[in-house]
Amino acid sequence: MKGTVFNHFQEMIEEQFGMECWETLLDKCDLPSGGIYTSAETYDDQEILSLVVALSEYSAVPVPDLVEAFGRYLYSGLAHSLPPSMMNFPDLWSLLEAVDSVIHVEVNKLYPDALTPKILVTEKRDNGVTLYYQSPRKMCLLAIGLVHQAADNFGTPVTIKHTCCMNEGADHCSMLIERG
Ligand code: HEM
């Protein structure tokens, strides 16, 4: 996972739980990087997982809730890192269609060794879409948080039903994203 993701994670923790919380997590996790992250460098995914588990122990918030909350927080930081002209989508549905074919393509130009997931709109309906997610990192809850925040930014709150999940043995995740 890119350092930029860790930088946003640290920022969220310091804002919402305080500086001492970040220091406590670093003491607990004993990370190979020492907890110093450069945005364009790649770090072991295990580091973010260890930090989330340690944060869950610190805050008594379950891991899945923290991952989704971080997805929401991360969206704004990531969205602002691209030129505004790249993020100029008329609605949530066109943004979701562009994640794989435009947004993550740009990310891979910026960071040639980036590891972005496969995210596809596989079905469109009047009130929403089906989103396909596939990644060896199985970070579908992060994707759900990112989608919720993108939806809120468009003033289009959504409900998301996770109808099949890689963490339960499937080869991809399916998410029904509907207005409401
Ligand atoms: C709703 C919109 C988006 C969704 C659902 C989404 C989904 C994801 C997910 C789930 C990951 C974690 C890696 C994985 O699962 O394999 C990821 C990584 C990433 N995404 Fe997106 N993303 C979205 C928008 C954006 C935007 C707007 C940017 C703008 C720069 C962005 C940049 C990145 C970067 C830099 C990474 C880290 C890649 C790495 O660590 O190598 N994403 N994305």
Side-chain angles (χ1 to χ4, degrees):
M1 191 68 82
K2 282 288 161 201
T4 184
V5 175
F6 287 88
N7 293 154
H8 290 298
F9 187 68
Q10 176 178 355
E11 201 180 272
M12 179 187 82
I13 288 175
E14 289 180 349
E15 262 176 49
Q16 298 180 3
F17 299 93
M19 299 272 271
E20 72 291 344
C21 171
W22 178 248
E23 297 302 330
T24 307
L25 301 192
L26 292 189
D27 286 347
K28 233 182 189 177
C29 293
D30 191 21
L31 304 162
S33 68
I36 310 289
Y37 300 104
T38 306
S39 61
E41 292 284 314
T42 299
Y43 300 87
D44 194 334
D45 293 339
Q46 192 52 50
E47 292 208 9
I48 199 108
L49 300 177
S50 306
L51 285 164
V52 173
V53 170
L55 180 61
S56 174
E57 284 160 8
Y58 179 95
S59 63
V61 179
V63 167
D65 295 1
L66 288 173
V67 176
E68 192 179 320
F70 176 51
R72 286 181 185 256
Y73 185 92
L74 181 63
Y75 181 79
S76 309
L78 289 180
H80 285 114
S81 70
L82 290 180
S85 59
M86 291 273 335
M87 289 298 294
N88 199 9
F89 301 101
D91 52 35
L92 173 67
W93 318 108
S94 25
L95 178 135
L96 292 179
E97 285 196 273
V99 172
D100 209 71
S101 58
V102 179
I103 297 175
H104 283 168
V105 171
E106 270 325 289
V107 169
N108 282 275
K109 284 186 202 160
L110 228 72
Y111 308 119
D113 59 344
L115 297 167
T116 47
K118 191 109 212 102
I119 301 239
L120 301 172
V121 170
T122 51
E123 207 186 322
K124 292 194 222 177
R125 288 175 306 281
D126 285 350
N127 65 339
V129 299
T130 303
L131 204 67
Y132 170 105
Y133 168 92
Q134 216 282 331
S135 162
R137 286 169 294 290
K138 303 184 188 174
M139 290 185 178
C140 43
L141 290 176
L142 191 72
I144 288 178
L146 287 158
V147 172
H148 270 302
Q149 190 56 51
D152 286 356
N153 288 4
F154 281 109
T156 313
V158 290
T159 54
I160 303 182
K161 282 190 210 118
H162 208 156
T163 51
C164 109
C165 182
M166 293 188 79
N167 292 302
E168 287 165 12
D171 68 350
H172 69 279
C173 296
S174 279
M175 297 162 201
L176 286 184
I177 302 177
E178 292 179 339
R179 281 172 215 278

